Amino acid sequence: MEINRQKVFGREVLDNRAVNIVFGVDSFFVPMMGICMTSILKNNPAQKISFRVFLDKIFEHDEQRLAELCRQFPSTQIILYFLPLELYRDIRIIEKGYSRAIFYRIAAAEFLCETLDKMIYMDADMLCVKPLDELLNLSLEKFLLAAVIDPGSVSLPCHKKKLGLSEDYRYFNSGLLCLNLNLWRSEKIPEQILNVLSCGEYSFPDQDAMNIIAAQNDYSVKYLPDKFNYFMHIEGVEQPVREDVVIEHFTGQLKPWHPWCATLSKEIYKTYQQISPWHDFVYLPRNYQEHRLMGRVCRREGKWLEALKWYWSYLKRRRIEKKSK
């Protein structure tokens, strides 16, 4: 695995009991990742943590805030691994809303399996709301990985049949993964994943591929309780806040950092954002649908001139984006 360069923030974590938590993001998701990191550090104050981030580029102001996070939590190290921009360009993505960064967890496992025995991967649209002790002390033994069963439509028989999986196969979600890197290295799992992806098109590419490989090779998967990857929305339906949940996962199109979001989870998210270096981060719409939603927010708040600007922008962008399809 080729890494263009590395950049390190914070002190080197030499303690062999330190935990390695991995993220794979594009530049737009760095603020959300930083807020997730903050939630982990806030709820695990005695734990030495090395965050390893795989990405292709980053804005300078976000680099400064990562450095600030390490000053705020001195027992923390953040290592950025910059990947080639052309990496995974030949893999077709058929679902809207995904970036190439969904494959960076594969790059992370391939690169880190040479030096580490275990890693925890987390999606950036998560929050840690309780101590991670149980997860950090997890023994993988002969398990390829540990994960939570996906509660969404991907676990329905029709999706599993499409992938060639048996009806009783327990399809896991790749948003939270504890990986046995010794097995990933010896079984050449990253190579197997890329081979699967080169042979077809998948709605949830990396996740589908991991499940196919686990099933075909009869690899052992350790299934975790859903409190370690609790979906705050399932098929668009908001789920109740549960006291036992350790990691909240903001799946779906509506996210708590969206100005138009009005879910219960938004207040929880804002609590961690306020204590993070990204306390002043404001999400800006990225497509024409979001421009319309932003217009509604401004109208609801009585900001009529701003609302008109966003609606006008929505009309222009809709014409441009539909032409480009």
Side-chain angles (χ1 to χ4, degrees), residues 126-155:
M126 288 180 153
L127 269 188
C128 172
V129 294
K130 277 189 170 56
L132 289 171
D133 295 352
E134 191 179 341
L135 196 62
L136 302 183
N137 296 323
L138 188 69
S139 174
L140 292 177
E141 301 173 49
K142 298 297 182 182
F143 293 100
L144 180 71
L145 59 88
V148 171
I149 294 174
D150 196 303
S153 60
V154 290
S155 288

Side-chain angles (χ1 to χ4, degrees), residues 221-238:
V221 174
K222 191 178 188 72
Y223 290 96
L224 301 170
D226 69 348
K227 66 181 181 179
F228 292 114
N229 184 359
Y230 183 65
F231 281 30
M232 299 304 290
H233 286 82
I234 300 177
E235 309 303 326
V237 179
E238 187 174 8

Side-chain angles (χ1 to χ4, degrees), residues 231-277:
F231 281 30
M232 299 304 290
H233 286 82
I234 300 177
E235 309 303 326
V237 179
E238 187 174 8
Q239 301 302 299
V241 176
R242 271 184 14 204
E243 285 297 319
D244 67 321
V245 169
V246 177
I247 297 173
E248 297 179 346
H249 193 175
F250 303 105
T251 53
Q253 293 186 338
L254 187 63
K255 306 291 188 182
W257 53 82
H258 289 156
W260 49 88
C261 175
T263 64
L264 292 173
S265 57
K266 187 178 183 73
E267 290 306 312
I268 301 171
Y269 195 83
K270 282 171 65 177
T271 299
Y272 288 102
Q273 181 177 353
Q274 286 306 308
I275 63 171
S276 81

Side-chain angles (χ1 to χ4, degrees), residues 193-235:
I193 292 173
L194 295 178
N195 285 339
V196 169
L197 291 173
S198 68
C199 296
E201 296 179 353
Y202 300 92
S203 299
F204 305 90
D206 62 304
Q207 184 172 277
D208 284 346
M210 287 185 208
N211 277 277
I212 289 169
I213 290 164
Q216 287 180 348
N217 295 281
D218 202 25
Y219 291 130
S220 295
V221 174
K222 191 178 188 72
Y223 290 96
L224 301 170
D226 69 348
K227 66 181 181 179
F228 292 114
N229 184 359
Y230 183 65
F231 281 30
M232 299 304 290
H233 286 82
I234 300 177
E235 309 303 326

Side-chain angles (χ1 to χ4, degrees), residues 276-295:
S276 81
W278 291 267
H279 53 84
D280 57 350
F281 167 73
V282 177
Y283 177 85
L284 294 176
R286 295 175 62 183
N287 56 51
Y288 75 88
Q289 294 99 330
E290 290 187 352
H291 278 239
R292 181 178 59 180
L293 291 168
M294 195 67 182

Side-chain angles (χ1 to χ4, degrees), residues 170 254 317:
R170 293 189 290 173
L254 187 63
R317 288 184 67 102

